[in-house]
Amino acid sequence: MRPLKLRVSSLFGIYVYAEQMTMLLLRRAAQTAVRTSHRRSFCASQTHLSDRKGLVLGVFEKEGEEDSLHLTEAAAGFDQTLSGKLSELLKISGPALKQGKSRIFYGIHKDFPCVAVVGLGKNNAGVCGTENWDTSKENIRQAVSAGCRSLQDLEVSHVEVDACGDAQSAAEGAALGLFQYDQLKTKKKTKVTTQLHGSADSASWEKGVVYGEGQNLARLLMEAPANHITPTAFANTIEEKLGPHAERVTINKRSQSWIEEQQMGAFLSVSRGSEEPPVFLELHYNGSPDSKQAPLLLVGKGITFDSGGISLKPSPSMDAMRADMGGAATVCASIVTAAALKLPVNIIGLAPLCENMPSGKATKPGDVVRAKNGKTIQVDNTDAEGRLVLADALCYGHTFNPRAIVNVATLTGAMDVALGSAATGVFTNSDWLWEQLHKASVVTGDRVWRMPLFQHYTRQVTDSQLADLNNIGKYSRSGGACTAAAFLREFVTAPHWAHLDIAGVMSNKDEVPYLRKGMSGRPTRTLVEFAAGLAHDS
Ligand code: BES
Ligand code: ZN
Ligand code: ZN
């Protein structure tokens, strides 16, 4: 055993075990190790530091009286090739790895100079009834993201990742955890490529990468400054992303004149104050083999900047309103993802895109506008603009006879007050649709929570002095998310409609550990999983 260990130590230049050796042997061995290590580190510096490969491996929490470590299959295999070195190091390097934490070992394997071991929590934790998510999947996303990030901090450029028993979740954790919006910075984080370690379940890994990248596209659009992502730039970006799927996708970038022809007076009342022309983006993804199959309709609020208009918002945090197109971003990113996955389902995406700005032309509090369906709206607060653009998009969307309508919007600050960033609020007239969305969110960990659509709230928006509707509830702040939903309902006749208020989940500080601070791109993966579920059902 000794000579073998010596050989290992001289190979990697790190560990020298010599308890039972004579002093002479020790000195010789040490000299060899030092010489070898010099040679190796010299080689390393010649072959670019940034070419180094990393590896992420998982370890579960010990259960009961279990004595040995509970490594994943891949980690156990790796440990075996090192004659137990990894588990030995794990034991001597500190306490058992907590869930979501990572620890790095250097120089233990010739192919992987840096190995990050990550804590996965309990094995087979499964779905948690109170948390409303699959804890195992969430733990894998968290742990893999932590491991990948700690290697990225070391400027490792390629990382192999342990499937940890669920390759899709591992890939999502890697893709989401490594994302950073630094396009506009001179100093950027190391670009890391990832790959599944071993050959198990590469299809699930690839699927996870597509899911993660889908959410990252929404994050990119939401995070980008409003002078970069104007309505026109947004539409062009989506068009470009759908380019590779042109066979199954048609895109219409409707201009102001088309919007006027459609008599979308509510949408136009919002865009009036801005110098940027509005765009009504319409995407058709024809994935079903049955081209006549009724489509799923997704509608996203696309306010590329919400200043509040004449009802101007206060300056602190106004910059965050560059992400007020989060509904449009998540909807369009879901369609790009559905296309990449070739989901066998038809989807139509609508995004009314414009800025909400104050100016001499802007809509004024008390103005009355007419929506596409003829209903008149008294605009008492120009900052409640999301419901106006959505009203017209919903009216137009009904013309496609969709099997279900889901609109997504950063609609109300009140939604953030109600649920914070724990879950997207869902207001729906359909128990079936609720169940589909909820089921999808348990899988993705990007949760939804059902909210009420009582007549109680409807009465508060239909009591208007000058028009059929008022764009704010008459008891101002009370139940603000619910009165906004009640307002939207006045533009819906379809039996399966859901309104997702994503204001609370729009950005991330540190609540979701596998998303860095910034705009979240939530709930893109839930929308994709939901669409995949519909594809499966039909
Ligand atoms: N875009 C905002 C809502 C919002 C706030 C989204 C914070 C994300 C974070 C929306 O247009 C808005 O301003 N809503 C008003 C409605 C009110 C005037 C009835 C709000 O929530 O204060
Ligand atoms: Zn607003
Ligand atoms: Zn808004």
Side-chain angles (χ1 to χ4, degrees), residues 30 139 169 179 262 297 338 363 405 440 518 534:
N139 286 355
S169 302
F179 175 87
Q262 290 292 317
L297 179 73
T363 296
I405 304 178
L534 286 194

Side-chain angles (χ1 to χ4, degrees), residues 306 313 383 385:
D306 180 12
K313 285 181 179 294
D383 196 13
E385 84 298 340

